[in-house]
Amino acid sequence: MCKHQPRCPDALAPDCKAARVMVGHPEQGWSLLCNGVVLFEDAGALLPSGREVAPPVMGSAVTCAAPAGPVLTAIAA
C-alpha cells in the first residue's frame, strides 16, 4: 500500500503510527495513515484487520503489535 521511500511502517509494526497521513479529518478526530491504520485524536487506533489499539495510559508504551480488544465487526441490518 505504501509507495513512500523509505517505506512507512507496516500496520502491525510497533511504530505503525509513524506512517504518513493520507486522509486527515482533524475536525472529526481521525486520520487514515498510508498503512491502512485509522488513528484517532486520543492516540487510539483501528488496524486494517478491525482490531482496536487502545489509547496509551499515562506512562505506558503502546504499540500496534500489542494485543488489544476484540476485533470489531460490522452488524448487518
Side-chain angles (χ1 to χ4, degrees), residues 15-70:
D15 60 344
C16 72
K17 295 179 183 179
R20 293 187 190 186
V21 173
M22 299 305 292
V23 178
H25 286 282
E27 73 282 359
Q28 296 177 359
W30 63 273
S31 297
L32 175 64
L33 306 181
C34 74
N35 58 6
V37 172
V38 177
L39 183 61
F40 296 101
E41 67 182 10
D42 66 356
L46 186 62
L47 302 181
S49 65
R51 196 184 87 199
E52 75 178 281
V53 177
V57 177
M58 183 77 73
S60 69
V62 173
T63 66
C64 295

Side-chain angles (χ1 to χ4, degrees), residues 64-76:
C64 295
V71 173
L72 302 177
T73 56
I75 299 173

